[in-house]
Amino acid sequence: MPVNADFQGRVYPPTSTYTVSAAKIREFAEAVGSTDPVHTDAEVARSRGYADVIAPPTFAVLIAQQCDAQLVTDPEAGIDYSRVVHGEQRFVHHRPLTAGDAVIGTLHVDGVRQAGGHAMVTTRAELATEAGEALCTATSTLVIRGEQ
């Protein structure tokens, strides 16, 4: 089943809340090799004007991929996950993700096109606090390899 091109323009409902924790920020910072104490020491973060420790910029992918999962697992989308390759990821941060943030994400399917026998799907996850404060726009391109 090919990827359903009619999904371009679709917007999924907001995800369940992801609460950003200092422990998850620390784990992520260690995993990506960040040594900046703003990710692990609340006093340092506060001295730099933040309410608590802040996440490394790519931390947003944890929440954005929960958004993308709505599309990938939608049977009508026609996406065979075993054929998915992550093509590109971009972030526009409106402010850093901070420990204590309660984040929801809304997924937009911005593009579905065929290229060289493969499908290219571009998604945009708008991450915001439950109160509606914009945090990050995460744009992703998924390549769904053709069967050839």
Side-chain angles (χ1 to χ4, degrees):
M1 171 183 196
V3 175
N4 188 342
D6 291 338
F7 272 52
Q8 182 168 319
R10 182 170 287 206
V11 179
Y12 282 85
T15 60
S16 58
T17 302
Y18 179 97
T19 302
V20 178
S21 73
K24 285 294 181 189
I25 290 173
R26 175 183 294 277
E27 289 172 5
F28 193 89
E30 289 172 359
V32 299
S34 177
T35 57
D36 189 336
V38 76
H39 305 307
T40 56
D41 186 326
E43 287 183 31
V44 169
R46 287 185 191 104
S47 75
R48 294 187 191 173
Y50 302 108
D52 204 331
V53 294
I54 62 169
T58 54
F59 183 92
V61 76
L62 298 175
I63 307 165
Q65 286 185 339
Q66 289 179 357
C67 296
D68 285 344
Q70 293 175 289
L71 171 66
V72 172
T73 61
D74 188 332
E76 294 179 22
I79 296 175
D80 177 353
Y81 189 71
S82 71
R83 305 192 74 73
V84 171
V85 177
H86 193 229
E88 181 180 20
Q89 185 75 54
R90 289 177 281 139
F91 302 99
V92 175
H93 290 277
H94 310 295
R95 77 151 168 86
L97 292 167
T98 305
D101 282 341
V103 182
I104 58 171
T106 303
L107 182 69
H108 302 257
V109 182
D110 287 343
V112 178
R113 66 181 181 90
Q114 296 296 315
H118 309 295
M120 309 284 283
V121 179
T122 302
T123 63
R124 174 174 39 95
E126 295 291 350
L127 307 183
T129 65
E130 288 179 324
E133 178 187 5
L135 297 171
C136 178
T137 300
T139 304
S140 178
T141 300
L142 303 176
V143 179
I144 299 85
R145 295 176 293 123
E147 301 207 14
Q148 306 281 348

